[in-house]
Every structure is written in structure tokens, then in C-alpha cells.
Amino acid sequence: MLQQRHKPNGLRVIAFLLATCPGWGLFATPVTVIHQPGAEPTSQQRVTLRHPHGELSLLLNASDAASRLQVLDGSGQAVIPAERLFAGVIEHESDSWARVSMAGSHLDGVFAYRGLRYRISTDNEQTRVTPLAKHHQHPAALPVSAPMPAITSTATRTPFRRQTNIAVVVDSQYNDQHGGRGLEKALSIINSVDGIYRAEFGLALHIETALLYT
């Protein structure tokens, strides 16, 4: 369980929303995932999703949200997450964005495609894509306190005007609930929310520290 004293558990709420949205659209059956890794770990990754109506290719780079991430266990020792966080776009789709965590053939995340947002997740060796709830984008919904030039990430092409640094704590109960992948699940959720917040509010999230208690 991710806990924040005196405040609602925002990650839990977001995870619930990501998991319970209705499904419609192109992806009615599991998709076939073709991963073409870059020559180097820092190189661009191509992940192609094949479905009955064709295919989409996600072009992914290391996510800015975790560029300064330090993960520690309860004793202060460094921990290496089993999954890497990525951000990018859909090939040939100028208004798209994607946020994905990935380890081998296991994918988890969100992408925006032609006005809709989709969740991608792997469970029992099957990868499915399901639409999130319909939404209306209001990029200026939250006012910027002071004028700032728009900053554009080369990895995502998504401009943002503000950024905030956050920390994450994953306790043993939350970790057990996700089969020992609590850290990866929490980081994946925040990576996806970073994409949504950039699109909706021009606000970027940077995860500075994650603490894992097992």
C-alpha cells in the first residue's frame, strides 16, 4: 500500500481509474507485441502493437520522469527496478504521446492516439490495449503562476510549463499485493500520470526518490 499521511491515496485512485475504464474501439483482442530494442540501452526503442485492424509502432526513449530517480530499500541500499520507464510517441502520429514501463515482453502504461487514450498492460503472457474513459483536453485548465517559456522534451515532444519533484514510498503490503512488483507498478503509474498531466495541464512530474520496504 502506498501511504500519504492525512491525504487520500492518490496513486490508488489513479490505479483504480486506469484499471476500470470501459473498453471500446480498435483493440478488442490481445495484441501481438514486437519489440525492436536499440543498439544501446539508451537508444530509441521501437515497440510495434499488431491488432486485427493493422499495427501501431511506439517510438520510445528513457522517460524524463525518472531521469534523476534514486531507489532505496528500507536499509538505505540502492535497488535496481526490474522494469525501465519510457516515454515517446506513436510513429507518424503528430499529436500522440506514450508512457510505458517495460521488461522483456511485459508492458504497462498509457498512450494517446487520435483523440483517445489507451491503457496497455500484460497479464498471463497476453498484452491487451483498452481505452480509458473519454476525456476533453484543456491544456490551460490550470493557470501558470508566472509566465515561463514552454519546455519541450526531445523524448516526448510534449511541452510543459511547470514541473514538480515527487517521492514514492512502497510498503510491504502494496508490494505483496502486486506479486513483488509493487515498486515497478508504482513507478509505472506515475510515469503514465506524467503523460496525462503534461497533456492536460502542462505539468511535468519528476520522481527523485523511491523507497521500497519489503
Side-chain angles (χ1 to χ4, degrees):
M1 183 184 299
L2 299 178
Q3 297 178 342
Q4 187 175 15
R5 185 174 295 180
H6 306 310
K7 293 184 179 181
N9 191 320
L11 282 177
R12 246 189 193 176
V13 172
I14 294 166
F16 174 79
L17 291 174
L18 291 178
T20 59
C21 293
W24 68 87
L26 296 177
F27 305 96
T29 59
V31 298
T32 300
V33 177
I34 303 173
H35 177 208
Q36 295 174 275
E40 302 292 336
T42 56
S43 301
Q44 186 177 79
Q45 313 282 309
R46 175 188 291 269
V47 176
T48 301
L49 309 177
R50 287 185 177 171
H51 57 89
H53 302 279
E55 63 182 38
L56 299 176
S57 290
L58 309 183
L59 305 180
L60 304 170
N61 293 299
S63 175
D64 289 349
S67 61
R68 300 192 299 268
L69 174 63
Q70 181 182 32
V71 182
L72 304 173
D73 63 16
S75 63
Q77 298 298 310
V79 175
I80 299 177
E83 299 178 8
R84 294 179 59 204
L85 301 181
F86 293 91
V89 296
I90 298 175
E91 191 173 32
H92 307 310
E93 296 289 335
S94 60
D95 294 328
S96 66
W97 56 263
R99 295 292 188 282
V100 176
S101 67
M102 183 165 48
S105 60
H106 185 279
L107 301 175
D108 187 51
V110 172
F111 63 86
Y113 172 66
R114 296 187 179 180
L116 287 176
R117 292 178 187 151
Y118 294 84
R119 183 192 178 195
I120 179 171
S121 59
T122 302
D123 187 37
N124 294 326
E125 304 302 322
Q126 288 191 329
T127 298
R128 294 183 178 274
V129 176
T130 54
L132 299 181
K134 293 182 179 179
H135 65 279
H136 302 281
Q137 290 196 7
H138 301 286
L142 292 183
V144 178
S145 56
M148 293 177 59
I151 308 168
T152 302
S153 163
T154 56
T156 66
R157 303 182 194 170
T158 308
F160 61 92
R161 293 185 177 275
R162 295 178 295 174
Q163 63 186 41
T164 186
N165 300 326
I166 63 174
V168 179
V169 177
V170 178
D171 67 14
S172 58
Q173 184 177 348
Y174 188 87
N175 192 52
D176 292 344
Q177 181 182 346
H178 292 282
R181 294 184 57 256
L183 172 66
E184 288 75 16
K185 186 64 178 178
L187 295 178
S188 177
I189 290 172
I190 295 174
N191 191 44
S192 295
V193 172
D194 171 64
I196 294 172
Y197 277 20
R198 289 189 192 214
E200 291 286 343
F201 312 125
L203 175 65
L205 303 181
H206 286 150
I207 316 167
E208 288 202 327
T209 305
L211 300 178
L212 173 64
Y213 294 94
T214 57

